[in-house]
Amino acid sequence: MTTTQGVQTILHPVTDLEKAKPVYAALLGVEPVADSPYYVGFEAAGQQIGLVPNSDMTAPVAHWHVTDIEDRIKAIVEAGGTLKSPPKDVSNGRLVALVTDPDGNVLGLLQDPS
């Protein structure tokens, strides 16, 4: 039995939301489903593609959807990964955390409320 629901969310750091929105809308062929000054989100092919301004991300981050974020963090750290950012509620009980693998690659974890 797998412990993830796969990569369903990919966040992209952007410096200018207004310039980035039309590019991603053209790529995905849809308009944003969430559009605020701190986040713009698109739904396409079962994935959430997010644009995040003013972020410390230096590259897009794939977020693995999990059912128990604390359990996955514990397992990853025990296996040699490192906790980069502890779980944080980003909206209505949706938890997001960041870990890194031994090479420093950032892995996002996302748990939706049950």
Side-chain angles (χ1 to χ4, degrees):
M1 183 171 132
T2 182
T3 58
T4 77
Q5 299 158 345
V7 173
Q8 297 177 22
T9 302
I10 302 172
L11 300 182
H12 297 264
V14 297
T15 56
D16 187 324
L17 275 176
E18 295 309 310
K19 288 182 179 177
K21 274 193 292 190
V23 171
Y24 283 85
L27 169 67
L28 301 168
V30 296
E31 292 301 313
V33 295
D35 192 344
S36 69
Y38 59 87
Y39 180 81
V40 173
F42 296 86
E43 294 276 341
Q47 291 186 318
Q48 175 81 20
I49 306 301
L51 308 179
V52 183
N54 306 316
S55 169
D56 62 356
M57 292 187 301
T58 57
V61 175
H63 283 71
W64 294 84
H65 286 231
V66 298
T67 55
D68 186 337
I69 200 166
E70 293 289 349
D71 183 61
R72 285 301 88 221
I73 290 169
K74 182 177 183 242
I76 291 166
V77 169
E78 287 175 357
T82 303
L83 179 62
K84 179 176 173 70
S85 175
K88 174 173 75 169
D89 188 324
V90 295
S91 176
N92 300 319
R94 176 176 262 196
L95 300 176
V96 174
L98 299 175
V99 295
T100 58
D101 70 11
D103 289 309
N105 296 304
V106 178
L107 308 169
L109 301 176
L110 188 152
Q111 177 185 319
D112 280 317
S114 32

